[in-house]
Amino acid sequence: MALPKLQIALDNGVLSEALASISQVGDEVDVIEAGTILCLAEGMEAVRCLRALYPEKTILADTKCADAGGTVAKNCADAGANWMTVICCATIPTMQAALKEVQDLQVELYGDWTFELAAEWKQAGLTQVVYHQSRDALLAGETWGEKDLAKIRRLVEMGFKVSVTGGLEVETLPLFAGIDVFTFIAGRGIRDAADPRQAARKFKAEIARIWG
Amino acid sequence: MALPKLQIALDNGVLSEALASISQVGDEVDVIEAGTILCLAEGMEAVRCLRALYPEKTILADTKCADAGGTVAKNCADAGANWMTVICCATIPTMQAALKEVQDLQVELYGDWTFELAAEWKQAGLTQVVYHQSRDALLAGETWGEKDLAKIRRLVEMGFKVSVTGGLEVETLPLFAGIDVFTFIAGRGIRDAADPRQAARKFKAEIARIWG
């Protein structure tokens, strides 16, 4: 089982705040995500700035693209993103059009997606999915549980690289022990820590402890 | 039956091109949409510029928001948008959080949404939906047909204000005769016309002819 990667989600509403966050942890993480909030607030300039500062890192544009996949993906790639996200209710043609323009594509799992649909994504050439606790669902009191872990295991068994996100803390990681998680995506769990660099290192250390 | 509105979708990838488009037709249309492509490319600056140029018009930010509804909606409202969109696979808490921040919210219908789900949106206070032919589906050869019209009629019967979009031309409008469409959303059918202002006027005239 490979060591899961650590991804920082920059869901800041202002570019300068995203840069303040990343300047503290950019060297510690494996994947830098321009979050949906940031992309919608600042546009692809946010991705261009992240690429300028971190020429060697994997950068993900979390567009949650639902349509016009080719155009959105080309704009992301032109700005310097390696990967982008599409929403699970996008059509297969949208996903395929996007996949042509970026190095890799992640399907974001929200709402009532099905494993039948996931099989279609697999057949269409998609390799990555992101399993979520929605930010708003978390606010409404939902938490990680066995029902989530069972779905994640099944997606891994289908051959997907599965990233996991939503209210993740260092203390949440042991829940996923024994599951071949591709990437843990943390946002405020790192950004809002008193010492974000230290928080990122704690995530990495706990990942190494459990999966190493 | 009220006269359907006309909405222009600015799906340009560059702000200056969106402004070039809207400068020709802004006075002719009822709703100005900062398209997803434009929002992701240029951020909320696109909405701020449209609001600066058209202080009296209804402006829609087509974010197709899937999560963090409250934050995304507040950013849209702060930039000057009246309405924004959420994707149909967003959770109800996401939709409700967004609805608190903007004047109105549209649910974008993509993929395998169900009428059961639509009933939940209604109960949650949502009043607007957007019925689509996906841009990529159109590219893959799909067209408007009776199956679309039946679904639109049913959504109208449920009490939704239903906007319609996807490859619309003036010649497509008679298909919808007899249906209480809230808004027709046209993009390239107006923007890419030899004379966009004339094209917008033709849409308005045909709407008046059929629904007047």
Side-chain angles (χ1 to χ4, degrees):
Chain A
M1 209 174 282
L3 220 55
K5 298 177 198 297
L6 179 61
Q7 175 173 323
I8 174 95
L10 299 171
D11 267 313
N12 311 266
V14 178
L15 177 55
S16 55
E17 289 174 11
L19 299 186
S21 291
I22 199 61
S23 68
Q24 298 182 74
V25 301
D27 297 330
E28 305 290 336
V29 300
D30 304 298
V31 181
I32 299 173
E33 173 194 325
T36 315
I37 291 170
L38 181 63
C39 288
L40 285 169
E42 298 282 10
M44 285 301 106
E45 184 69 1
V47 174
R48 282 188 290 269
C49 290
L50 293 170
R51 175 52 71 210
L53 292 170
Y54 297 94
E56 307 299 333
K57 289 275 177 183
T58 298
I59 293 180
L60 168 75
D62 186 19
T63 57
K64 295 187 174 66
C65 181
D67 200 359
T71 304
V72 170
K74 185 173 188 317
N75 290 347
C76 289
D78 286 350
N82 304 92
W83 301 347
M84 70 171 249
T85 63
V86 290
I87 193 78
C88 55
C89 57
T91 62
I92 298 282
T94 292
M95 294 182 184
Q96 288 179 316
L99 193 53
K100 282 183 195 152
E101 302 291 338
V102 287
Q103 288 168 29
D104 211 351
L105 197 66
Q106 298 181 330
V107 182
E108 295 255 346
L109 305 178
Y110 277 97
D112 296 326
W113 61 276
T114 61
F115 285 99
E116 290 70 29
L117 209 47
E120 288 182 36
W121 305 330
K122 197 87 210 326
Q123 195 156 21
L126 278 294
T127 61
Q128 291 197 41
V129 298
V130 182
Y131 189 91
H132 271 263
Q133 290 279 12
S134 134
R135 184 162 168 169
D136 295 305
L138 289 165
L139 288 175
E142 301 215 11
T143 56
W144 291 99
E146 184 50 44
K147 72 177 198 317
D148 301 302
L149 301 179
K151 287 181 190 168
I152 293 168
R153 278 191 207 100
R154 187 161 164 194
L155 288 164
V156 171
E157 280 162 17
M158 289 177 75
F160 283 109
K161 296 175 190 168
V162 183
S163 296
V164 167
T165 189
L168 290 184
E169 309 281 347
V170 172
E171 294 69 29
T172 329
L173 298 182
L175 263 180
F176 301 91
I179 306 179
D180 193 7
V181 171
F182 182 61
T183 307
F184 286 106
I185 307 171
R188 287 163 296 177
I190 292 178
R191 292 197 331 266
D192 292 355
D195 183 339
R197 181 182 298 268
Q198 186 65 16
R201 285 181 179 167
K202 277 189 188 161
F203 266 96
K204 293 285 277 190
E206 184 69 351
I207 289 171
R209 187 185 71 78
I210 301 173
W211 282 270
Chain B
M1 207 173 286
L3 220 53
K5 299 178 199 296
L6 179 61
Q7 175 173 325
I8 175 95
L10 298 171
D11 268 312
N12 311 264
V14 178
L15 177 54
S16 56
E17 287 173 12
L19 299 185
S21 290
I22 199 61
S23 69
Q24 297 181 74
V25 301
D27 298 329
E28 305 290 336
V29 300
D30 305 297
V31 182
I32 298 174
E33 173 195 325
T36 314
I37 291 170
L38 180 63
C39 288
L40 285 170
E42 299 281 12
M44 285 300 109
E45 184 69 1
V47 173
R48 284 188 287 269
C49 289
L50 293 170
R51 175 52 71 209
L53 291 169
Y54 297 94
E56 306 299 334
K57 288 277 177 181
T58 298
I59 293 180
L60 168 75
D62 186 19
T63 57
K64 297 187 173 64
C65 181
D67 200 359
T71 304
V72 170
K74 183 171 189 316
N75 289 348
C76 289
D78 286 350
N82 305 92
W83 300 347
M84 71 172 248
T85 62
V86 289
I87 194 76
C88 55
C89 56
T91 62
I92 298 282
T94 292
M95 294 182 184
Q96 288 180 316
L99 194 52
K100 282 183 194 151
E101 302 291 339
V102 287
Q103 288 169 28
D104 211 350
L105 197 64
Q106 298 181 330
V107 182
E108 294 255 347
L109 305 178
Y110 277 96
D112 296 327
W113 60 276
T114 62
F115 284 101
E116 289 71 30
L117 209 48
E120 288 182 34
W121 306 330
K122 197 89 210 325
Q123 194 156 19
L126 279 293
T127 61
Q128 290 198 42
V129 297
V130 181
Y131 189 92
H132 270 263
Q133 290 280 10
S134 133
R135 185 162 166 169
D136 295 303
L138 288 165
L139 288 175
E142 300 215 12
T143 56
W144 291 99
E146 182 51 44
K147 73 177 196 320
D148 301 302
L149 301 178
K151 288 181 190 169
I152 294 169
R153 278 192 205 97
R154 188 160 162 195
L155 288 164
V156 171
E157 280 161 16
M158 290 176 75
F160 284 109
K161 296 174 189 169
V162 183
S163 295
V164 168
T165 189
L168 291 182
E169 309 281 346
V170 172
E171 294 70 27
T172 329
L173 297 182
L175 263 180
F176 301 92
I179 305 180
D180 192 6
V181 172
F182 182 60
T183 307
F184 285 106
I185 307 171
R188 287 163 295 176
I190 291 177
R191 293 198 328 268
D192 291 354
D195 183 338
R197 181 180 299 268
Q198 186 64 18
R201 285 181 177 165
K202 277 189 188 161
F203 266 95
K204 294 284 277 189
E206 184 70 353
I207 289 171
R209 188 187 69 80
I210 300 173
W211 282 269

